[in-house]
Amino acid sequence: MRRRLRTAGLVATAVLGLVASAMPASAQVGTGPWTAENPSFTVQERGCGTVDGLDFALTCSTASGDQRAERRYATYTGGTRQFEGSFRITSMAGSRISLKQTFRDAPTAGPYFMLAVERGGRLYAVHGGETLGSGATVGTSVRVNTVHQVGSTHKVYLNGSLKQTVSSSAGSYYDKFGAYRTASGAGPVKVTWSGIRFWRK
């Protein structure tokens, strides 16, 4: 009898596990249902940029050229995509460093959204210069979510609060994060990312 009950319990646990895995994934922000994704990525190291897992660094103070340490994720087209990740700056002698990008791949390739940080902790959108947040000082963790409905809107959340909504054209896009010198910026900087997750609907 005990063996039969134990077997029934194991079966029930397995069934519940299958049901749970089939349920829509919950995301931190935005309305669902969401489906979790695990897109592929490539590592980009240029100039004095170095990547070690989820640690990204620009080791020089060069104010020109391509200085980057980033992950570039697979291109997506259509639908709604959500990125989530938290960054923590561990040292920053430079300023105006891009941390998260939504990049347009087609029909015309180029940066679409860039979240950057100034020394002192101000977070801003590179295109337009709008302040999105503050307090991103050395040692402080900040959670970033972008919700991109291709052909409609692109929303930026910091620590769960909506900070920016802009229109989006149709086309192909991809996510990038790490540390990247903006046109007016320079390192050195070290930043660690964590909790990287992706969803679609």
Side-chain angles (χ1 to χ4, degrees), residues 61-165:
S61 58
T62 304
S64 62
D66 192 359
Q67 314 298 330
R68 73 174 66 200
E70 294 180 304
R71 279 189 180 185
R72 189 268 203 214
Y73 280 80
T75 298
Y76 59 85
T77 303
T80 301
R81 313 291 173 134
Q82 181 172 173
F83 162 89
E84 178 180 285
S86 296
F87 70 84
R88 180 172 55 86
I89 298 168
T90 57
S91 68
M92 188 172 189
S95 188
R96 302 183 71 81
I97 302 298
S98 177
L99 301 170
K100 163 66 174 70
Q101 300 182 47
T102 304
F103 214 87
R104 183 181 287 110
D105 200 18
T108 302
Y112 164 67
F113 167 76
M114 298 173 69
L115 174 69
V117 62
E118 290 180 334
R119 188 169 55 218
R122 173 180 174 253
L123 291 165
Y124 67 99
V126 172
H127 301 98
E130 178 185 356
T131 297
L132 302 183
S134 60
T137 53
V138 172
T140 301
S141 181
V142 177
R143 193 178 84 234
V144 180
N145 292 75
T146 57
V147 178
H148 188 193
Q149 185 177 356
V150 179
S152 180
T153 59
H154 182 276
K155 297 181 179 182
V156 180
Y157 296 79
L158 298 178
N159 292 327
S161 296
L162 179 62
K163 298 298 183 180
Q164 184 192 59
T165 302

